[in-house]
PDB file of all heavy atoms in Angstrom:
ATOM      1  N   THR B  92     -23.041 -11.112  79.442  1.00 93.00           N
ATOM      2  CA  THR B  92     -22.464 -11.190  80.826  1.00 93.00           C
ATOM      3  C   THR B  92     -22.771  -9.990  81.676  1.00 93.00           C
ATOM      4  O   THR B  92     -22.136  -9.831  82.818  1.00 93.00           O
ATOM      5  CB  THR B  92     -21.042 -11.522  80.685  1.00 93.00           C
ATOM      6  OG1 THR B  92     -20.371 -10.541  79.870  1.00 93.00           O
ATOM      7  CG2 THR B  92     -20.697 -12.817  80.267  1.00 93.00           C
ATOM      8  N   GLY B  93     -23.602  -9.168  81.147  1.00 92.00           N
ATOM      9  CA  GLY B  93     -23.967  -7.921  82.032  1.00 92.00           C
ATOM     10  C   GLY B  93     -22.999  -6.794  82.037  1.00 92.00           C
ATOM     11  O   GLY B  93     -23.285  -6.004  82.904  1.00 92.00           O
ATOM     12  N   VAL B  94     -21.974  -6.777  81.145  1.00 92.00           N
ATOM     13  CA  VAL B  94     -21.097  -5.614  81.245  1.00 92.00           C
ATOM     14  C   VAL B  94     -21.823  -4.436  80.529  1.00 92.00           C
ATOM     15  O   VAL B  94     -21.784  -3.365  81.058  1.00 92.00           O
ATOM     16  CB  VAL B  94     -19.874  -5.992  80.408  1.00 92.00           C
ATOM     17  CG1 VAL B  94     -18.913  -4.813  80.472  1.00 92.00           C
ATOM     18  CG2 VAL B  94     -19.155  -7.194  81.122  1.00 92.00           C
ATOM     19  N   TYR B  95     -22.365  -4.735  79.403  1.00 93.00           N
ATOM     20  CA  TYR B  95     -23.251  -3.679  78.715  1.00 93.00           C
ATOM     21  C   TYR B  95     -24.623  -4.054  78.849  1.00 93.00           C
ATOM     22  O   TYR B  95     -25.074  -5.228  78.860  1.00 93.00           O
ATOM     23  CB  TYR B  95     -22.829  -3.562  77.241  1.00 93.00           C
ATOM     24  CG  TYR B  95     -21.423  -3.077  76.938  1.00 93.00           C
ATOM     25  CD1 TYR B  95     -20.737  -3.594  75.722  1.00 93.00           C
ATOM     26  CD2 TYR B  95     -20.774  -2.228  77.695  1.00 93.00           C
ATOM     27  CE1 TYR B  95     -19.572  -3.096  75.379  1.00 93.00           C
ATOM     28  CE2 TYR B  95     -19.406  -1.888  77.404  1.00 93.00           C
ATOM     29  CZ  TYR B  95     -18.818  -2.278  76.348  1.00 93.00           C
ATOM     30  OH  TYR B  95     -17.615  -1.732  75.919  1.00 93.00           O
ATOM     31  N   LYS B  96     -25.522  -2.966  78.566  1.00 93.00           N
ATOM     32  CA  LYS B  96     -26.869  -3.280  78.431  1.00 93.00           C
ATOM     33  C   LYS B  96     -27.248  -3.126  77.030  1.00 93.00           C
ATOM     34  O   LYS B  96     -26.765  -2.351  76.374  1.00 93.00           O
ATOM     35  CB  LYS B  96     -27.686  -2.038  79.299  1.00 93.00           C
ATOM     36  CG  LYS B  96     -27.825  -2.371  80.724  1.00 93.00           C
ATOM     37  CD  LYS B  96     -28.876  -1.427  81.235  1.00 93.00           C
ATOM     38  CE  LYS B  96     -29.496  -2.233  82.306  1.00 93.00           C
ATOM     39  NZ  LYS B  96     -29.920  -1.709  83.530  1.00 93.00           N
ATOM     40  N   LYS B  97     -28.159  -4.050  76.759  1.00 93.00           N
ATOM     41  CA  LYS B  97     -28.611  -4.057  75.182  1.00 93.00           C
ATOM     42  C   LYS B  97     -29.493  -2.942  74.977  1.00 93.00           C
ATOM     43  O   LYS B  97     -30.316  -2.512  75.964  1.00 93.00           O
ATOM     44  CB  LYS B  97     -29.149  -5.425  74.891  1.00 93.00           C
ATOM     45  CG  LYS B  97     -30.437  -5.889  75.752  1.00 93.00           C
ATOM     46  CD  LYS B  97     -30.808  -7.282  75.424  1.00 93.00           C
ATOM     47  CE  LYS B  97     -32.021  -7.653  76.159  1.00 93.00           C
ATOM     48  NZ  LYS B  97     -31.918  -7.772  77.605  1.00 93.00           N
ATOM     49  N   ASP B  98     -29.610  -2.471  73.716  1.00 93.00           N
ATOM     50  CA  ASP B  98     -30.640  -1.519  73.415  1.00 93.00           C
ATOM     51  C   ASP B  98     -31.925  -2.147  73.006  1.00 93.00           C
ATOM     52  O   ASP B  98     -32.921  -1.689  73.353  1.00 93.00           O
ATOM     53  CB  ASP B  98     -30.180  -0.722  72.147  1.00 93.00           C
ATOM     54  CG  ASP B  98     -28.815   0.070  72.464  1.00 93.00           C
ATOM     55  OD1 ASP B  98     -28.555   0.317  73.643  1.00 93.00           O
ATOM     56  OD2 ASP B  98     -28.173   0.554  71.391  1.00 93.00           O
ATOM     57  N   GLU B  99     -31.799  -3.337  72.468  1.00 91.00           N
ATOM     58  CA  GLU B  99     -32.998  -4.036  72.091  1.00 91.00           C
ATOM     59  C   GLU B  99     -32.714  -5.523  72.068  1.00 91.00           C
ATOM     60  O   GLU B  99     -31.489  -5.990  71.993  1.00 91.00           O
ATOM     61  CB  GLU B  99     -33.325  -3.693  70.535  1.00 91.00           C
ATOM     62  CG  GLU B  99     -34.434  -2.707  70.373  1.00 91.00           C
ATOM     63  CD  GLU B  99     -34.640  -2.412  68.927  1.00 91.00           C
ATOM     64  OE1 GLU B  99     -34.910  -3.305  68.082  1.00 91.00           O
ATOM     65  OE2 GLU B  99     -34.236  -1.269  68.425  1.00 91.00           O
ATOM     66  N   GLY B 100     -33.754  -6.256  72.045  1.00 93.00           N
ATOM     67  CA  GLY B 100     -33.550  -7.703  71.849  1.00 93.00           C
ATOM     68  C   GLY B 100     -33.824  -8.522  73.089  1.00 93.00           C
ATOM     69  O   GLY B 100     -34.185  -7.885  74.166  1.00 93.00           O
ATOM     70  N   LYS B 101     -33.783  -9.854  72.898  1.00 93.00           N
ATOM     71  CA  LYS B 101     -34.205 -10.766  74.133  1.00 93.00           C
ATOM     72  C   LYS B 101     -33.119 -11.706  74.463  1.00 93.00           C
ATOM     73  O   LYS B 101     -32.372 -12.250  73.572  1.00 93.00           O
ATOM     74  CB  LYS B 101     -35.438 -11.575  73.721  1.00 93.00           C
ATOM     75  CG  LYS B 101     -36.647 -10.947  74.023  1.00 93.00           C
ATOM     76  CD  LYS B 101     -37.779 -11.942  74.176  1.00 93.00           C
ATOM     77  CE  LYS B 101     -38.390 -12.282  72.724  1.00 93.00           C
ATOM     78  NZ  LYS B 101     -39.717 -12.901  72.718  1.00 93.00           N
ATOM     79  N   VAL B 102     -32.831 -11.922  75.694  1.00 94.00           N
ATOM     80  CA  VAL B 102     -31.828 -12.941  76.156  1.00 94.00           C
ATOM     81  C   VAL B 102     -32.732 -14.049  76.902  1.00 94.00           C
ATOM     82  O   VAL B 102     -33.215 -13.714  77.848  1.00 94.00           O
ATOM     83  CB  VAL B 102     -30.713 -12.477  76.913  1.00 94.00           C
ATOM     84  CG1 VAL B 102     -29.720 -13.539  77.439  1.00 94.00           C
ATOM     85  CG2 VAL B 102     -29.942 -11.290  76.334  1.00 94.00           C
ATOM     86  N   ILE B 103     -32.703 -15.260  76.394  1.00 93.00           N
ATOM     87  CA  ILE B 103     -33.500 -16.301  77.016  1.00 93.00           C
ATOM     88  C   ILE B 103     -32.522 -17.329  77.478  1.00 93.00           C
ATOM     89  O   ILE B 103     -31.783 -17.954  76.697  1.00 93.00           O
ATOM     90  CB  ILE B 103     -34.472 -17.113  76.017  1.00 93.00           C
ATOM     91  CG1 ILE B 103     -35.539 -15.911  75.580  1.00 93.00           C
ATOM     92  CG2 ILE B 103     -35.191 -18.055  76.735  1.00 93.00           C
ATOM     93  CD1 ILE B 103     -36.237 -16.217  74.283  1.00 93.00           C
ATOM     94  N   TYR B 104     -32.532 -17.556  78.827  1.00 93.00           N
ATOM     95  CA  TYR B 104     -31.516 -18.466  79.511  1.00 93.00           C
ATOM     96  C   TYR B 104     -32.292 -19.365  80.215  1.00 93.00           C
ATOM     97  O   TYR B 104     -33.112 -19.148  80.989  1.00 93.00           O
ATOM     98  CB  TYR B 104     -30.678 -17.576  80.519  1.00 93.00           C
ATOM     99  CG  TYR B 104     -29.678 -18.377  81.196  1.00 93.00           C
ATOM    100  CD1 TYR B 104     -28.713 -19.194  80.631  1.00 93.00           C
ATOM    101  CD2 TYR B 104     -29.758 -18.222  82.648  1.00 93.00           C
ATOM    102  CE1 TYR B 104     -27.837 -19.849  81.552  1.00 93.00           C
ATOM    103  CE2 TYR B 104     -28.921 -18.815  83.486  1.00 93.00           C
ATOM    104  CZ  TYR B 104     -27.821 -19.690  82.956  1.00 93.00           C
ATOM    105  OH  TYR B 104     -26.981 -20.368  83.759  1.00 93.00           O
ATOM    106  N   LYS B 105     -32.063 -20.766  79.814  1.00 90.00           N
ATOM    107  CA  LYS B 105     -32.836 -21.806  80.373  1.00 90.00           C
ATOM    108  C   LYS B 105     -34.318 -21.643  80.250  1.00 90.00           C
ATOM    109  O   LYS B 105     -35.026 -21.814  81.340  1.00 90.00           O
ATOM    110  CB  LYS B 105     -32.426 -22.077  81.744  1.00 90.00           C
ATOM    111  CG  LYS B 105     -30.918 -22.539  81.876  1.00 90.00           C
ATOM    112  CD  LYS B 105     -30.832 -22.941  83.423  1.00 90.00           C
ATOM    113  CE  LYS B 105     -29.372 -22.906  83.760  1.00 90.00           C
ATOM    114  NZ  LYS B 105     -29.187 -22.757  85.229  1.00 90.00           N
ATOM    115  N   GLY B 106     -34.812 -21.152  79.197  1.00 89.00           N
ATOM    116  CA  GLY B 106     -36.132 -20.967  78.917  1.00 89.00           C
ATOM    117  C   GLY B 106     -36.899 -19.783  79.449  1.00 89.00           C
ATOM    118  O   GLY B 106     -38.000 -19.600  79.252  1.00 89.00           O
TER     119      GLY B 106
END
Side-chain angles (χ1 to χ4, degrees):
Chain B
T92 50
V94 179
Y95 292 152
K96 274 196 150 141
K97 58 188 187 294
D98 297 344
E99 259 176 64
K101 271 201 273 192
V102 180
I103 299 161
Y104 175 55
K105 292 187 199 157

